[in-house]
Amino acid sequence: MKIKSINLKLMMAFFGVIIFFGVITYTLLVSAFNNYYHEDIYRVLEDNTHSNEKFTDIDEFINDSDDNRSIEQLFWVKINGKLTRKDVRRNDIITSELTDDVIKVIEDDIKNQTEESKRYSFDVNGRKLFYVITQYRLSNSNKLYVVPKLFNRPKITVAYNTLYRVTLRWEPANDILQKQLFSKMALGLFLTIVAILIVFFFLSRHLTKPLIDLSKSVKQISKRKFETPIDINRNDEIGVLANTVEEMRRELLKYDKEQKLQLHSISHELKTPIMVIQSYVDALKKGLYPKGTQEASLEIIEEESNRLQKLVYNLLYIQRLDYFESEIKNQEKINIKEVVKDVVCNMQMKLDNFNLETNLEDVFVRADYNQMRIVIENLLSNQIRYADKAIRITLEYNGESSFLEFYNDGEHIADVNDLFMMFKKGKKGQSGLGLYIVKRLLDINGGTISAYNRSKGVTFKIEWK
């Protein structure tokens, strides 16, 4: 399967987002500039228009009107509802070639306008024309009076004449300045996008490089190469992932070493009884009896065969423990007192040689009955093997936890730290698997075990919480 780089995906996604926002930003800037530019044109057009001016002579007002920043001005007057354009008799007034169509549009706007001043614009052959129409009311001397008859009573109606000033300005025909401004804005925006993309490139590399390194390390782990540590020092989620994988690597390395050690120990444990059996069989074939008689020599072969059989059984049972731990948990509420009494009864012949003391309460725990039986059998066999004269079994519940203790008055344990490891045997140990199986079974059934030396003797303590 073709791998698509996360770095490339991030770059493409970020590039798309930057381009999108870049286009929007450029569009908004251009629109804002145009709005400001158009607003400035209208402001200039409105600077010399004051709708509240009063005057009596129209021609004098037109000829005396100020000209500011090359503003073109046109005038219309409405007298008795009739709109007439007024000519300007000044040489300094800017005029331009306005077509009849443009004049017609302006006159239509004048007729429809109700406000004192209003802004307008429209395109003329691809060039925009801006203009402001301002109304001026004439003074009282120019009023017209009409006296209609209504129910034979005279009423005076006043009709004001109105002057309209139109100030115009064309959009510049040469928009070089505007194009230069827009091009510089585009260039600035482009450089900003490039700078952001460069920063994001290194940022994405910072994010993806440890993932690439971590992928390489995981591939090495998949090939059972656990020696190389994962060195990714980060304080983010990637660092947490790397630390988790590193913990897994260490556990796998530890497990691999244990497996190799176990294989070596198993080979050694199997080799010893096999060699003894083979040597005795060879001797018997030659008519020799290493133990003096045939019966005694055959008993040695039988003992070693039993030892070999028990060793193989324990090894197979250890393999089953992994399955029990992950799949089978046939746990139920059982009385540990009944399990202890059952095991003691079955081993009574061996216990007759010792001073056995039991102090057992009814203690109920959730566990597998058969597995708890194996635990107690192995521990009691261990007490019988190492005790001098006394063995004591105590089972009690203190309100919070349940305890099962096995005490023997034998020799102290040299090192209790690795007592429950596989193939760790004492002086009188057999296979070194019994206590290991005990610990594994207790782990499966929610119990813990510890061992400690007393002033005289040793105590094994099981606890269920």
Side-chain angles (χ1 to χ4, degrees):
M1 183 179 64
K2 186 177 180 181
I3 298 176
K4 296 182 179 179
S5 171
I6 295 179
N7 187 29
L8 178 60
K9 290 182 179 179
L10 290 175
M11 286 293 296
M12 293 299 294
F14 190 74
F15 180 76
V17 172
I18 287 296
I19 292 299
F20 174 74
F21 282 102
V23 171
I24 291 179
T25 303
Y26 180 78
T27 304
L28 293 177
L29 287 175
V30 171
S31 176
F33 174 80
N34 286 329
N35 290 338
Y36 174 80
Y37 179 68
H38 297 164
E39 181 65 25
D40 183 65
I41 292 177
Y42 283 122
R43 183 182 58 80
V44 172
L45 294 175
E46 293 171 343
D47 274 348
N48 291 333
T49 60
H50 305 283
S51 60
N52 58 356
E53 290 187 51
K54 300 294 183 181
F55 55 90
T56 58
D57 190 295
I58 294 177
D59 293 332
E60 182 181 355
F61 175 78
I62 293 174
N63 292 320
D64 290 343
S65 60
D66 294 333
D67 178 32
N68 184 24
R69 293 178 65 178
S70 302
I71 297 174
E72 185 175 351
Q73 302 184 67
L74 299 177
F75 296 89
W76 277 264
V77 65
K78 182 188 289 185
I79 300 176
N80 296 330
K82 184 178 180 181
L83 186 66
T84 305
R85 182 178 175 184
K86 295 290 291 183
D87 294 330
V88 182
R89 301 186 183 91
R90 289 176 55 188
N91 295 327
D92 57 346
I93 292 293
I94 303 301
T95 60
S96 62
E97 296 294 333
L98 296 176
T99 64
D100 293 338
D101 292 337
V102 175
I103 297 298
K104 180 67 170 54
V105 172
I106 295 175
E107 289 181 348
D108 290 340
D109 290 337
I110 292 174
K111 293 176 183 179
N112 296 326
Q113 180 171 315
T114 58
E115 298 87 347
E116 291 184 350
S117 180
K118 190 174 181 180
R119 298 173 175 179
Y120 299 91
S121 68
F122 69 96
D123 291 331
V124 180
N125 297 325
R127 189 179 178 192
K128 183 165 286 191
L129 175 64
F130 302 90
Y131 57 97
V132 176
I133 300 177
T134 307
Q135 296 182 9
Y136 296 90
R137 298 292 185 182
L138 301 182
S139 62
N140 291 340
S141 61
N142 288 321
K143 288 179 181 177
L144 298 177
Y145 295 88
V146 179
V147 184
K149 289 183 178 181
L150 182 62
F151 303 111
N152 295 322
R153 292 181 182 181
K155 183 178 180 181
I156 299 176
T157 301
V158 181
Y160 287 97
N161 297 330
T162 307
L163 174 69
Y164 294 90
R165 171 194 273 181
V166 182
T167 52
L168 307 94
R169 187 171 182 179
W170 289 93
E171 186 179 41
N174 189 351
D175 57 351
I176 295 178
L177 179 62
Q178 185 177 1
K179 290 181 177 179
Q180 287 180 349
L181 178 61
F182 290 166
S183 62
K184 288 183 179 180
M185 289 170 54
L187 178 61
L189 190 60
F190 173 76
L191 293 177
T192 302
I193 292 174
V194 171
I196 293 175
L197 287 176
I198 292 174
V199 172
F200 186 78
F201 172 77
F202 288 103
L203 177 62
S204 62
R205 289 281 295 173
H206 176 70
L207 293 174
T208 57
K209 186 178 184 302
L211 292 176
I212 296 173
D213 295 339
L214 188 60
S215 175
K216 293 179 180 178
S217 299
V218 172
K219 286 182 179 179
Q220 293 298 314
I221 293 175
S222 67
K223 298 177 181 177
R224 301 184 63 83
K225 297 180 180 179
F226 310 120
E227 292 77 14
T228 304
I230 299 173
D231 186 17
I232 299 178
N233 297 318
R234 294 174 64 106
N235 296 322
D236 53 13
E237 290 81 357
I238 296 178
V240 173
L241 176 62
N243 292 334
T244 303
V245 176
E246 172 62 13
E247 291 178 5
M248 179 188 70
R249 183 198 66 83
R250 289 197 295 264
E251 289 297 322
L252 289 174
L253 179 62
K254 178 182 176 182
Y255 179 78
D256 186 64
K257 290 181 178 179
E258 289 178 354
Q259 289 293 100
K260 293 178 180 178
L261 178 62
Q262 289 175 10
L263 182 61
H264 174 74
S265 300
I266 291 172
S267 300
H268 176 74
E269 291 296 328
L270 291 175
K271 181 176 66 175
T272 301
I274 291 175
M275 289 180 62
V276 172
I277 293 173
Q278 185 177 6
S279 62
Y280 271 72
V281 170
D282 290 340
L284 289 175
K285 286 181 178 180
K286 298 177 181 179
L288 302 175
Y289 305 109
K291 286 297 181 178
T293 63
Q294 182 179 6
E295 290 76 9
S297 299
L298 291 175
E299 286 179 1
I300 295 298
I301 295 176
E302 184 179 10
E303 289 177 3
E304 292 299 325
S305 298
N306 292 335
R307 178 187 171 191
L308 182 60
Q309 182 182 12
K310 186 176 181 180
L311 178 61
V312 172
Y313 173 80
N314 285 336
L315 290 174
L316 293 175
Y317 191 78
I318 289 173
Q319 295 299 318
R320 292 174 60 194
L321 288 179
D322 296 329
Y323 181 65
F324 291 154
E325 191 170 13
S326 60
E327 298 293 338
I328 299 178
K329 290 187 178 181
N330 187 24
Q331 297 177 350
E332 58 184 349
K333 190 174 182 179
I334 62 174
N335 190 346
I336 298 298
K337 177 181 178 181
E338 298 299 327
V339 183
V340 173
K341 290 174 65 177
D342 189 18
V343 173
V344 169
C345 181
N346 290 338
M347 302 181 70
Q348 189 62 52
M349 292 184 63
K350 295 181 179 179
L351 291 171
D352 288 340
N353 299 323
F354 299 93
N355 182 15
L356 176 64
E357 179 183 349
T358 59
N359 182 15
L360 306 177
E361 298 179 4
D362 288 316
V363 172
F364 294 89
V365 299
R366 288 197 61 82
D368 184 283
Y369 183 91
N370 293 326
Q371 293 178 3
M372 289 301 96
R373 183 184 175 90
I374 293 173
V375 168
I376 295 172
E377 285 177 351
N378 285 357
L379 285 174
L380 191 54
S381 297
N382 185 276
Q383 311 310 306
I384 293 173
R385 189 177 304 115
Y386 288 96
D388 288 338
K389 296 180 181 180
I391 296 176
R392 183 170 63 249
I393 305 174
T394 304
L395 177 62
E396 61 181 357
Y397 177 70
N398 66 359
E400 294 182 358
S401 302
S402 301
F403 298 95
L404 175 60
E405 294 185 354
F406 291 85
Y407 165 79
N408 72 81
D409 60 349
E411 297 181 1
H412 284 174
I413 300 173
D415 187 3
V416 297
N417 293 324
D418 58 355
L419 183 63
F420 298 99
M421 294 181 64
M422 186 181 293
F423 296 114
K424 292 294 181 179
K425 295 189 297 184
K427 293 181 180 179
K428 301 178 182 179
Q430 294 181 345
S431 64
L433 297 176
L435 293 180
Y436 174 78
I437 292 174
V438 167
K439 187 177 186 308
R440 287 290 303 276
L441 289 176
L442 288 173
D443 290 339
I444 295 173
N445 290 273
T448 59
I449 186 169
S450 59
Y452 54 90
N453 295 317
R454 307 286 292 270
S455 57
K456 178 176 175 57
V458 177
T459 295
F460 289 82
K461 184 177 182 179
I462 300 174
E463 179 180 2
W464 291 276
K465 292 185 178 180

